[in-house]
Amino acid sequence: MTTADTTGTSTTADTTAENSTRGYYVTQGKAFDRDMNYIDDRITRDGRDGWPVEAGRYRLIAARACPWANRTLISRRLLGLEDVLSVGMPGPTHDMRSWTFDLDEGGVDPVLGYERLQQAYFARFPYYPRGITVPAVVDVPSKAVVTNDFQRITLDFATEWTEFHREGAPDLYPEAQREEIDALNKWMLHRVNNGVYKVGFAGSQEDYEREFALLWEALDELEERLGTSRYLMGPSITEADVRLFPTLIRFDPVYHGHFKANRQTLASMPNLWNYTKDLFQTPGFGDTVDFVQIKRHYYYVHEDINPTQVVPLGPDLSPLMEAHDRDRFETDTWGPGGAAPEAPLAAEVVDPAHTPLHVTGR
């Protein structure tokens, strides 16, 4: 294995990372299998992994296009961590090597001084063998990646960063419900969040039909569940809602057509659709969503699924701003003593042209 330098120049050392980073590929005759091995270091109050919680020390790298990164942007907003945890946002597309900071002036992250997220990974692991993924948390002093464990990052935001939570922040991971939340999150990961990818990247008709059936069985269960309470766990939002929303908000614009998950649109399922509208209109959720970046990412990067790289103009997303019916249920959105977050930081406001009333030209 040859070496790879830390400037972002690719050599054979990061061939695996290149293939993973470019986007998932359809393998003829094989089912989709996501690599779930991530850097599992944690940033904690006691710093037991060598990474203590500190204001200003870390930078969250989270592309708006990515659903796994989207959940970290939502959690950071809801908990009010903006002033203690800065954010870098790569653009919606990337090459085989890495996500790039092409939205920043000069194509360089203003805090890390990197053109590519790959450089933060190589600063710690010169031979890092897996995908250069978002979300990732980077240690600013060393400019080296700390973790990319998307399953753990938001849980630690909720439980380890409490010293810096805003006044009125919701308890997204209430102790009394953790066991049930964990079970639901695990089920949703395999059947819904990753389920859409299993459908979209199925390498055979048999694999596609099996995963299609499992995905819609799960969505039907969620439709039924959301017929009894406003949110997944009851009257208040929790980590479970933070994890489901990024998949649902991408469903009709991307997964329905691009991934062939097309039994029906989400908009035709009353509980799921009104739940999605409800969360989209809730501060901290919809204000993290950039539909132009989302569609650009999926339809442009996945060349094996969409070789022309043509990005569709539809669907019409303006109904997301229409009234929903979720207030028919018992509601305590922010929990006892909680309150909605303030407006996003000026530098983090989504381009109005990328929001539902404008993205389809209306």
Side-chain angles (χ1 to χ4, degrees):
M1 178 179 289
T2 346
T3 59
D5 65 29
T6 58
T7 65
T9 301
S10 164
T11 66
T12 54
D14 57 313
T15 300
T16 303
E18 288 181 0
N19 291 337
S20 261
T21 304
R22 175 55 176 154
Y24 302 110
Y25 287 85
V26 174
T27 302
Q28 186 71 33
K30 292 187 177 180
F32 174 70
D33 184 20
R34 181 182 297 276
D35 181 359
M36 291 296 291
N37 293 295
Y38 293 91
I39 304 166
D40 60 3
D41 283 21
R42 294 176 58 192
I43 300 170
T44 57
R45 280 172 291 185
D46 61 9
R48 55 187 175 273
D49 287 350
W51 310 104
V53 170
E54 292 180 19
R57 176 170 174 175
Y58 305 99
R59 186 161 177 81
L60 172 66
I61 307 300
R64 290 197 189 275
C66 170
W68 318 103
N70 193 175
R71 62 172 64 170
T72 64
L73 294 174
I74 293 169
S75 179
R76 175 176 172 269
R77 281 271 295 122
L78 295 179
L79 298 174
L81 296 175
E82 294 99 320
D83 291 335
V84 299
L85 178 67
S86 68
V87 68
M89 295 186 185
T93 63
H94 49 68
D95 60 20
M96 293 178 71
R97 288 154 57 191
S98 176
W99 293 87
T100 56
F101 295 103
D102 48 287
L103 300 179
D104 291 308
E105 185 175 355
V108 174
D109 180 87
V111 172
L112 301 175
Y114 289 154
E115 296 179 356
R116 297 174 172 277
L117 178 58
Q118 181 188 57
Q119 293 168 268
Y121 278 71
F122 286 177
R124 187 171 175 206
F125 305 108
Y127 306 105
Y128 189 72
R130 295 189 169 88
I132 309 299
T133 61
V134 290
V137 181
V138 176
D139 176 50
V140 174
S142 65
K143 298 184 180 181
V145 67
V146 176
T147 182
N148 64 346
D149 187 354
F150 70 94
Q151 291 285 84
R152 189 71 235 179
I153 290 172
T154 52
L155 294 181
D156 284 343
F157 284 174
T159 59
E160 299 291 335
W161 290 72
T162 52
E163 176 187 354
F164 298 108
H165 285 184
R166 65 178 176 86
E167 185 176 355
D171 183 357
L172 296 176
Y173 197 45
E175 197 161 352
Q177 293 181 300
R178 287 183 185 179
E179 186 174 345
E180 186 180 353
I181 290 173
D182 288 345
L184 179 59
N185 285 345
K186 182 178 180 180
W187 177 82
M188 288 195 301
L189 169 66
H190 294 292
R191 295 290 297 276
V192 181
N193 306 136
N194 197 37
V196 291
Y197 286 84
K198 293 176 183 178
V199 172
F201 290 99
S204 71
Q205 188 70 31
E206 180 182 8
D207 290 328
Y208 167 74
E209 291 184 8
R210 180 187 66 251
E211 299 301 341
F212 184 97
L214 289 171
L215 171 65
W216 282 103
E217 180 183 274
L219 289 172
D220 286 340
E221 287 188 41
L222 290 170
E223 172 74 7
E224 182 177 356
R225 182 184 185 112
L226 289 167
T228 61
S229 64
R230 184 158 188 170
Y231 306 107
L232 287 171
M233 296 299 300
S236 305
I237 57 171
T238 65
E239 174 76 13
D241 303 294
V242 171
R243 295 194 182 200
L244 180 58
F245 174 78
T247 298
L248 298 184
I249 203 63
R250 287 161 175 76
F251 198 90
D252 285 3
V254 176
Y255 304 143
H256 178 270
H258 184 58
F259 280 178
K260 301 182 287 293
N262 59 357
R263 189 190 76 179
Q264 63 192 101
T265 62
L266 198 69
S268 68
M269 303 182 76
N271 291 325
L272 277 167
W273 180 238
N274 279 288
Y275 168 81
T276 302
K277 289 196 292 183
D278 183 11
L279 287 181
F280 185 82
Q281 296 169 31
T282 299
F285 285 87
D287 54 34
T288 69
V289 175
D290 186 314
F291 285 109
V292 169
Q293 290 196 34
I294 288 170
K295 293 199 293 185
R296 175 75 171 168
H297 171 72
Y298 283 94
Y299 288 99
Y300 188 86
V301 170
H302 299 157
E303 291 181 68
D304 51 339
I305 297 178
N306 187 39
T308 65
Q309 297 179 300
V310 172
V311 180
L313 294 177
D316 179 14
L317 297 167
S318 59
L320 282 166
M321 301 303 296
E322 296 174 356
H324 58 78
D325 63 358
R326 304 301 291 172
D327 51 7
R328 72 185 192 269
F329 297 113
E330 177 189 358
T331 300
D332 185 14
T333 299
W334 306 108
E342 299 291 334
L345 298 176
E348 297 178 15
V349 173
V350 174
D351 185 338
H354 297 188
T355 56
L357 295 180
H358 302 282
V359 73
T360 53
R362 289 179 56 132

